[in-house]
Structure formats: structure tokens, C-alpha cells
Amino acid sequence: MANRKRTKTSSSIRRKDTRTAYAFISPWIIGFVCFTLFPIIFMFRVSLTNRKLNGVSEFSGMQNYVNMFKSGIFWNSIWVTLFFTIVMVIVTTIWAVIMALLLNQKQKLNGIFQFCYFLPSVIPSVALAYAFRTIFGKEAGLFNAFLSIFAGKNVAVNWLYDHATVYMVVFFITLFTYNTGQMMLIFRSGLSDVPMELYEACELDGAGAAKKFFSVTLPMISPLVLFNAVNGCVSALNGSFALLYPLTGESGNPDGMTQVLSLLIYKEAFSNMKVGYSCALSVVLFLIAALFGALLFGLSQKLVYYEN
Amino acid sequence: MKSAKTKKRVSQLWLYLLKTIVAVIMFLPIIWIATGGFKTLTEFTTSSRIIPQNFTLENFTYIFRSSNIFLYVRNTVLLMLGTTIGTLFSSSLVAYPLARMEFKGKNLIFSIIIATMMIPNIALIIPQYIMFGKIGWLDSLLPMIIPAFFAYPYNVFLFRQYFRSIPKELDESATIDGCSRVQIFFKVLVPLSKPTYATIAVLSCVFWWNELTQPVFYINSDEWRTLTMALMTSYMYTSGNAFVINWPSIMAAATLMILPPMLLYFFGNRFLVGGIKTTGLKG
């Protein structure tokens, strides 16, 4: 009797729980439907029209996609997006590991060093972009002046507009983004979790610093490196606009060399007023992100424990 | 013995040197911005010295007197407060059953939340732009503030992780005391999670203080411009045929924009640095 009563209450509790749970979750459900699911469906629909910025729209079938695949600007942008994303992730990951390694060597003044290493990542990307536009500017640029001291003559390179140097400078600037600072902090805690005994054992074998890094440190933090690298791909896709738009403009100067897909989407929608075409580009960006996302999801299932 | 000691000292010195070089590289743009604000336009465009030769405050007086900086600050603060309050409230509500209750469809909902974390904002911004245009929200802060009240997947995920680390026994003893699920949330979990709320609030504020992409898409008029947008558009003018960018004014405005995150580093380090670390480790 008592037993039966308990089963009854527990199942009614569970039913009540389900109701309460959905009441709590309802904000997300509404938000997901209105601000994610609907825009996704709407994006596919608009991509099949020749919608203009003023709202005039006519069904045009696959015309946008046909134009897109024929467009050299589009293929350039795809190439730039993949190139930018992958190189940025590699460069920033290496730099974050270097900074974390340096900071993990316990010394005095480490607090000041961490402050200097970390602060650039939490300031607005616009401010950084404008600082670097002038630092790497042709006239009165700090970097040209610095090189002039060593060259013994006046160096006047327009770093951000020169085909040969633009990528170097842009990737250098990505070292100052939020992603780098975040990775540095993560690697710092990852590095301090590496057991000291492993280093001591290595020292007994007479290994040098480089040997220690490659045979102990790197294998120990490799899951973190891998996870952050793929995570960085998603944030690079999303964050490239805020860095590159103030840095090289919507056309991705020089000659579209830095025109990632997000810049092209913006330009097509707001300068060329072709919203339909811009939606077709968004579909492509969405699919690229889905690809990276699936990769990250697969990795996180393997490497990161969501369940305690 | 003595030589081993000297050797160690030398390697320490090398390490200091290396650390200093990296620090100079990383901090140089900030110094460049901060000193640039005190240069005249002529000096900024003709000389590459870091220290201002003709120290001037004209850029700061220009910013405060002749540009709508107070308006931009107001907009940015409104945006920050609106989105942060919205996401703290809604995301923690949504996270609660995901962390604490058993119900049908829980796994499916959680998987969708994880999946939407991977969609970059920028991929959906054009359809959202059209949508917000139809409801007449464009050129206001609403397209950014209203969605915050319907839970950001990322923050839901963080809240869930934190809620799970609070012992379940507390819920159970509250149930025995006659608390309902709703009461447990407000009387047990929320008071215990104050540091979590502070962390997510700090991260949200930093994000929206720095955010450029969404305002650039949604906002057109000067009236709703945020500081980041103003930095890009408000300090340039045409004089005759020439297009002049008022670099030192931009640098002065940027200096002011760097101050809040910097102060946060000093006074809210636990939430800022600690928060960023955990989001990366678990997200």
C-alpha cells in the first residue's frame, strides 16, 4: 500500500517536474525559434530571390548560386576565409603557448608580464585595428621608423596595402585578439597541471629544454591544443569581421586579399544592396561553420567531459 | 658549485629579457594609442615618435566638446546593461532544469543548445536584419537587447556547468523543508551562485563594450551609435577635396575605451581572468 502510494506520487512529481522544467526553458525555446530557427529557414528562402536592400523581391530560383559559383570574387573570398581562419588559428595557438610557457616560469614581476600579455585581448578590436593601421602606416608609421634605424635609410613600405606584406601584418595583428588571450590563460592552467615528476625524470635523462618541451609538455597539453584550435576556427569565422572591417575595409584591401566571407556579405548587402545574393553567401558561411562545428563537437565528445 | 649558480642566474636573466621583449610587443599598441591621444594631428601624421613632442589636450577637449561622446557612452552603457541583465536572468532560468531536473526531451534540448553555440552570429545576421526591419527595430538597440532576454546558448551552458557543481543534497533538504522547484531555484541556487552571476556579467559587459559587428549592421543614425562605431565613423571629416581622418582624436577616444577593461583587470580579476579561463576550458 505504502509502496503503491509512493510510485504514484513519484510519477506525478515527475510529470509536474516536466511541466516546471519546460516553464523554465520556455525563454530559450521562444528565442531559438524566433532568432535562430526562423532566420535559418528565412535565409534559405531569401537566397532564392533577387531581394534588394529596399525590400523589393522576386523569386529567381538558383540564379544567386549560379552567379556566385561563376564569380571570381566569391571564390577568392572562400579561399581567403579558409586561409585566414586556419593560419590565424595556427599562429595564435603557437603564440599563446609561447606566452603561457614564459609566464609559467615562476619569477618576480610575473603579474606585470601577465597584465601586458593579456590586456590587448580585452580591448575593442576597432581600437587595435586603428592603432595598427598607423603603426604599419607608410608615413610616420612606427614600424617603418623602427626598420629605418637598422636599415640606415628611410624605409617607406605601406605594410597593409602591399601585396607582399599584408598577410604578415594581418596575422601579426591576430596575436592581439581575444582568442589569443583566452588560449594563453587556458594553456597556463594546462601547463601547471603537468606533473613535475615527468620533468624531473626527463632531466635525469639529461634532456635539454627543447627536448623537455617536445617529449613532455606538448604531449601533455595536446588535447587542450587540439580542442582550442578547432574552437578558434569557429571564433575566427565570427570575429574576423570586427577585426578586418576597421583594418582593411569592406573590400578587403589590397585587391580583396583580406576579403573574408563576412566582409563580402556586408558589402553585397549594404554597398551593392543585393540582399538576396548576400543571403546565398550567408548560406555558404553557415555551411562552413557547420563543418567546423561538427568537427569541434566530435572532438569535444572525445576530449572534454561534459558529464562530471 | 659556484658556476652552476652563475649559470642559473644567467638563464634567469635571459628569461627576463625574453619576457620583456614579448611584453613590449604586446603592450606597444596600447602605449601607441595612449600617447597618440596627446599628439596634434600634424605631429601624428608626420612624426613616428612615441612620446608626444607638443603635448596637447586638444583631442580630449575636441572629443568632449564637439562630438557626441556622451551620447555614444549612453548607448554603449544601455546596450551593455540591457543585454547583461537579459542574459543573466533568462540564461540562468533555462540552465536550472538542464542541470537539476529529469524530464522528457532534456538531452535533445541540450544537444540543440550545444549545436547553436557553433553557429557564428554573422552567418544569420542578414536574415535577422530583414526580420528586424519588418518589425521596425532597425536603427535602435532592440535587435541586440531583446534576444538577450531569450537566453544565449553559451551562457546557458556556463550556468548549467556551475549549477551542477553545487551539491544536490541542498536541493533535497530544501524539498524536505517543503520548497517547490521554483523556490529551490530562487532560495538555494541563486544565492549560492553569486560569483557565477558576477563572472558571466563581467564577460558579457566586456563583450558588449567591445562589440562592433552587430551595431554596424543594425544601427545607422548617430543617435544610436555605440562607442566602437563612433571610433570608426565619427572622427573623420572632409576638408575641401581631402578626406581627413582625425587620428589623434581616434586615439584619445580609444584611450578612454581601454580604461574600463583595464580597471576591470585590476579590480575584477577573479571574474575576468577566471571567467575567461573557465569558458575556454569547458566551452
Side-chain angles (χ1 to χ4, degrees), chain B residues 155-210:
Chain B
N155 293 337
V156 170
F157 182 74
L158 289 176
F159 269 118
R160 174 191 177 264
Q161 296 299 105
Y162 286 115
F163 286 160
R164 283 168 67 97
S165 64
I166 296 171
K168 243 183 170 163
E169 289 75 39
L170 289 173
D171 291 31
E172 280 154 17
S173 62
T175 317
I176 291 165
D177 291 347
C179 280
S180 68
R181 288 290 194 184
V182 180
Q183 283 170 322
I184 292 174
F185 177 70
F186 286 105
K187 289 190 177 158
V188 180
L189 282 186
V190 173
L192 282 175
S193 312
K194 275 183 201 144
T196 310
Y197 279 89
T199 304
I200 294 179
V202 162
L203 293 182
S204 166
C205 285
V206 170
F207 177 84
W208 286 102
W209 180 260
N210 295 338

Side-chain angles (χ1 to χ4, degrees), chain A residues 14 16-18 20-22 24-32 34-36 38-40 42-43 46 51 53 95 98-99 102-103 105-111 113-128 130-135 139-142 145 172 175-176 178 180-182 185-186 189 224 227-228 231 234 237-238 241-242 245-246 262 265-266 269-270 275 278-279 282-283 285-286 289 293 296-297 304-308, chain B residues 12-13 15-16 18-20 22-23 25-30 32-33 43-48 50 90 93-94 96-98 101-106 109-110 112-114 116-124 126-132 134 137 146-147 149-151 153-154 156-157 160-161 164 181-182 185-186 203 206 209-210 212-213 216-217 228 231-232 236 245 247 250-251 254 257-258 261-262 265-266 272-273 276-277 279-283:
Chain A
R14 187 174 301 162
K16 201 170 158 245
D17 253 17
T18 302
T20 324
Y22 276 95
F24 271 100
I25 290 179
S26 58
W28 173 76
I29 296 176
I30 299 169
F32 173 70
C34 297
F35 302 120
T36 308
F38 177 73
I40 292 175
F42 193 51
M43 169 175 72
V46 177
R51 193 187 178 97
L53 192 59
W95 187 244
I98 292 175
M99 290 197 297
L102 285 176
L103 286 182
Q105 305 293 324
K106 287 199 179 65
Q107 276 181 316
K108 279 177 195 159
L109 304 178
N110 253 4
F113 286 123
Q114 170 159 329
F115 172 73
C116 294
Y117 294 5
F118 178 72
L119 195 67
S121 42
V122 285
I123 69 171
S125 59
V126 206
L128 274 179
Y130 276 75
F132 282 115
R133 267 174 71 172
T134 49
I135 288 175
E139 277 111 32
L142 187 63
F172 175 74
L175 302 182
F176 298 81
Y178 181 84
T180 317
Q182 183 184 34
L185 295 176
I186 293 163
S189 56
L224 270 186
F227 180 75
N228 276 295
N231 193 20
V234 179
L237 281 179
N238 205 18
F241 182 88
Y245 182 57
S262 47
I265 288 172
Y266 180 81
F270 294 100
V275 173
S278 185
C279 272
S282 301
V283 168
L285 182 60
F286 180 78
L296 175 64
F297 195 60
V304 179
Y305 303 102
Y306 287 132
E307 312 303 321
N308 294 343
Chain B
Q12 289 274 315
L13 274 176
L15 210 54
Y16 268 120
L18 216 59
K19 280 181 178 176
T20 313
V22 175
I25 294 173
M26 292 308 281
F27 214 63
L28 198 66
I30 293 175
W32 181 253
I33 291 168
E43 186 189 338
F44 196 93
T45 45
T46 51
S47 143
S48 52
I50 293 178
S90 59
L93 280 181
V94 173
Y96 170 55
L98 290 173
M101 295 186 199
E102 290 307 321
F103 58 92
K104 251 190 192 159
K106 180 178 164 181
I109 288 179
F110 189 60
I112 299 176
I113 289 179
I114 299 281
T116 44
M117 274 165 47
M118 320 285 178
I119 305 175
N121 242 327
I122 195 108
L124 294 183
I126 296 289
Q128 282 169 343
Y129 175 88
I130 304 172
M131 206 175 85
F132 291 133
K134 281 193 173 157
W137 285 359
I146 300 294
F149 279 86
F150 295 93
Y154 199 67
V156 170
F157 182 74
R160 174 191 177 264
Q161 296 299 105
R164 283 168 67 97
R181 288 290 194 184
V182 180
F185 177 70
F186 286 105
L203 293 182
V206 170
W209 180 260
N210 295 338
L212 173 76
T213 314
V216 161
F217 277 79
T228 46
L231 214 53
M232 271 196 76
M236 27 199 93
I245 300 177
W247 289 109
I250 292 177
M251 296 301 153
M257 282 202 75
I258 292 172
M262 198 145 116
Y265 185 93
F266 287 123
L272 181 70
V273 173
I276 289 177
K277 215 183 318 189
T279 54
L281 277 175
K282 289 171 180 169

Side-chain angles (χ1 to χ4, degrees), chain A residues 202-221:
Chain A
C202 219
E203 261 166 37
L204 283 180
D205 292 345
K211 182 90 197 298
K212 263 195 279 182
F213 175 75
F214 284 106
S215 57
V216 178
T217 315
L218 199 57
M220 288 300 285
I221 62 165

Side-chain angles (χ1 to χ4, degrees), chain A:
Chain A
M1 188 67 196
N3 198 10
R4 218 172 112 196
K5 198 179 167 198
R6 202 192 294 154
T7 6
K8 202 181 159 197
T9 20
S10 89
S11 92
S12 89
I13 281 179
R14 187 174 301 162
R15 217 172 312 133
K16 201 170 158 245
D17 253 17
T18 302
R19 230 177 301 145
T20 324
Y22 276 95
F24 271 100
I25 290 179
S26 58
W28 173 76
I29 296 176
I30 299 169
F32 173 70
V33 171
C34 297
F35 302 120
T36 308
L37 195 61
F38 177 73
I40 292 175
I41 298 165
F42 193 51
M43 169 175 72
F44 279 97
R45 229 195 65 192
V46 177
S47 76
L48 301 175
T49 68
N50 66 354
R51 193 187 178 97
K52 298 281 180 292
L53 192 59
N54 58 16
V56 179
S57 156
E58 217 173 76
F59 185 77
S60 65
M62 300 300 282
Q63 197 53 48
N64 284 327
Y65 291 94
V66 173
N67 291 345
M68 194 167 79
F69 289 123
K70 276 191 206 154
S71 152
I73 293 176
F74 166 73
W75 286 111
N76 170 62
S77 181
I78 289 284
W79 152 247
V80 172
T81 305
L82 294 177
F83 176 70
F84 178 80
T85 306
I86 291 166
V87 178
M88 170 176 168
V89 167
I90 294 171
V91 170
T92 53
T93 307
I94 292 174
W95 187 244
V97 171
I98 292 175
M99 290 197 297
L101 280 174
L102 285 176
L103 286 182
N104 271 37
Q105 305 293 324
K106 287 199 179 65
Q107 276 181 316
K108 279 177 195 159
L109 304 178
N110 253 4
I112 296 174
F113 286 123
Q114 170 159 329
F115 172 73
C116 294
Y117 294 5
F118 178 72
L119 195 67
S121 42
V122 285
I123 69 171
S125 59
V126 206
L128 274 179
Y130 276 75
F132 282 115
R133 267 174 71 172
T134 49
I135 288 175
F136 289 106
K138 188 177 172 191
E139 277 111 32
L142 187 63
F143 193 59
N144 275 339
F146 176 74
L147 288 183
S148 300
I149 300 171
F150 293 98
K153 59 178 183 198
N154 205 19
V155 180
V157 179
N158 204 349
W159 296 91
L160 276 163
Y161 287 86
D162 197 312
H163 287 228
T165 56
V166 62
Y167 284 133
M168 212 173 68
V169 173
V170 167
F171 289 123
F172 175 74
I173 296 170
T174 61
L175 302 182
F176 298 81
T177 52
Y178 181 84
N179 215 24
T180 317
Q182 183 184 34
M183 280 197 287
M184 179 191 83
L185 295 176
I186 293 163
F187 290 139
R188 276 206 71 182
S189 56
L191 285 171
S192 54
D193 289 344
V194 178
M196 281 314 275
E197 294 82 39
L198 289 177
Y199 289 116
E200 281 156 16
C202 219
E203 261 166 37
L204 283 180
D205 292 345
K211 182 90 197 298
K212 263 195 279 182
F213 175 75
F214 284 106
S215 57
V216 178
T217 315
L218 199 57
M220 288 300 285
I221 62 165
S222 64
L224 270 186
V225 173
L226 199 60
F227 180 75
N228 276 295
V230 187
N231 193 20
C233 288
V234 179
S235 22
L237 281 179
N238 205 18
S240 53
F241 182 88
L243 181 69
L244 293 176
Y245 182 57
L247 192 68
T248 58
E250 59 173 27
S251 306
N253 289 321
D255 299 325
M257 279 179 78
T258 58
Q259 192 175 42
V260 292
L261 216 40
S262 47
L263 289 177
L264 188 61
I265 288 172
Y266 180 81
K267 190 184 178 186
E268 291 294 350
F270 294 100
S271 299
N272 300 343
M273 320 239 168
K274 296 195 287 195
V275 173
Y277 185 66
S278 185
C279 272
L281 293 170
S282 301
V283 168
V284 175
L285 182 60
F286 180 78
L287 294 178
I288 293 178
L291 199 78
F292 280 122
L295 195 61
L296 175 64
F297 195 60
L299 279 177
S300 64
Q301 292 283 334
K302 261 192 187 164
L303 301 172
V304 179
Y305 303 102
Y306 287 132
E307 312 303 321
N308 294 343

